[in-house]
Amino acid sequence: MARKFFVGGNWKMNGNKESIDKIIEFLTAGPLDPNCEVVVGCPAIYMDYVRSKLPAAIGVAAQNCYKAEKGAFTGETSAAMIKDVGCEWAILGHSERRNVFGESDQLIGEKVAFALQSGLKVIPCIGELLEEREAGKTTEVCFRQLKAIADNVSDWTRVVIAYEPVWAIGTGKTATPEQAQEVHSQLRTWLAENVNAQVAESTRILYGGSVTAANCRELAACPDIDGSLVGGASLKPEFVQIINATQ
Ligand code: PEP
């Protein structure tokens, strides 16, 4: 089964209306490969604005989503709020949520479960720290994080996994295509053995970590890499080239 190529942008805590208008301008001008699914993760406060201005074919994701419907959770955003402003996606468990805000595997699993039950599509992120890679623990860490997610998935058709080695995020140190392909293939095997063969075959696994226009094509050419999750370069016009990496 062919997996549709997918490119996500993660704007993180960057931008204002003026700079966002410039991103909307280059994304609208494209041209974007119609065979690529594109989703941008924007700060919660701008989601309504971005959704109202971006072409409908481009999805908009929250960068986080709490695991309760509503209530006394100051500072959080609910799935209902995300849907209320016309957005469908949530990035969950990004390494900055894990490592700056201390989110655990268990919390991320609960967020995945709740977002899916609420009708959102999710991009859960996993990936090892540099010291974990150097200690030979890459697969152990990634499998543990993936299990915490997989145990909470009620509908795999609404899940796109992002493998983002933490040492490659925002550092300019991209994993080599060989390093990324090796982990992607191991993740797909894990899905086959622990979920089922159909989910392994159909679930998209994105690579994230310093993806740019210069390295996107060789990453996209790897058999188990189904697209990318892009931070810094998603704020720049080169994001269009990354979207078009398989053309
Ligand atoms: C990210 O934020 O998910 C990311 C991969 O960032 P960057 O592309 O800047 O490394």
Side-chain angles (χ1 to χ4, degrees):
M1 189 195 305
R3 297 181 293 269
K4 187 170 186 178
F5 196 68
F6 186 109
V7 173
N10 176 18
W11 297 353
K12 314 193 191 209
M13 197 177 73
N14 290 301
N16 53 31
K17 283 191 182 172
E18 196 186 341
S19 65
I20 286 172
D21 282 346
K22 292 194 178 115
I23 298 174
I24 291 168
E25 210 176 297
F26 70 66
L27 284 175
T28 305
L32 308 183
D33 180 354
N35 296 314
C36 178
E37 184 167 0
V38 182
V39 172
V40 292
C42 76
I45 199 162
Y46 293 120
M47 288 181 71
D48 195 7
Y49 180 75
V50 170
R51 184 60 290 167
S52 70
K53 293 192 128 198
L54 260 189
I58 301 176
V60 178
Q63 297 175 8
N64 189 17
C65 173
Y66 198 56
K67 56 163 181 157
E69 199 180 325
K70 61 178 180 175
F73 303 106
T74 302
E76 292 293 327
T77 304
S78 74
M81 291 168 185
I82 293 166
K83 291 197 297 181
D84 194 35
V85 295
C87 301
E88 298 184 302
W89 287 90
I91 298 169
L92 295 172
H94 187 276
S95 76
E96 288 143 23
R97 298 300 320 170
R98 292 176 186 270
N99 299 310
V100 181
F101 299 100
E103 291 195 6
S104 64
D105 285 342
Q106 185 182 334
L107 176 61
I108 294 159
E110 288 168 1
K111 287 184 174 188
V112 167
F114 197 83
L116 289 172
Q117 276 163 31
S118 307
L120 290 179
K121 299 186 254 192
V122 297
I123 308 171
C125 305
I126 61 175
E128 81 285 1
L129 299 165
L130 182 59
E131 56 265 36
E132 292 167 335
R133 174 163 281 261
E134 286 174 348
K137 292 188 171 165
T138 298
T139 43
E140 181 188 321
V141 170
C142 291
F143 290 171
R144 189 199 73 225
Q145 294 175 342
L146 183 55
K147 181 174 177 357
I149 291 160
D151 285 350
N152 286 287
V153 172
S154 48
D155 177 359
W156 281 96
T157 67
R158 287 188 281 122
V159 178
V160 175
I161 294 164
Y163 166 60
E164 303 202 297
V166 181
W167 47 272
I169 298 180
T171 58
K173 281 190 210 156
T174 324
T176 64
E178 294 73 26
Q179 283 174 318
Q181 166 57 29
E182 184 184 22
V183 178
H184 281 234
S185 142
Q186 288 162 334
L187 295 172
R188 207 174 295 289
T189 301
W190 189 94
L191 289 174
E193 289 172 355
N194 295 278
V195 186
N196 63 54
Q198 196 273 331
V199 163
E201 187 55 31
S202 58
T203 302
R204 287 162 302 174
I205 307 177
L206 314 180
Y207 168 78
S210 299
V211 175
T212 63
N215 59 28
C216 62
R217 288 181 173 274
E218 48 179 9
L219 287 160
C222 298
D224 289 296
I225 298 182
D226 306 309
S228 49
L229 184 57
V230 186
S234 72
L235 302 166
K236 305 178 194 161
E238 72 178 283
F239 189 51
V240 170
Q241 287 162 262
I242 300 173
I243 290 167
N244 295 337
T246 60
Q247 275 188 328

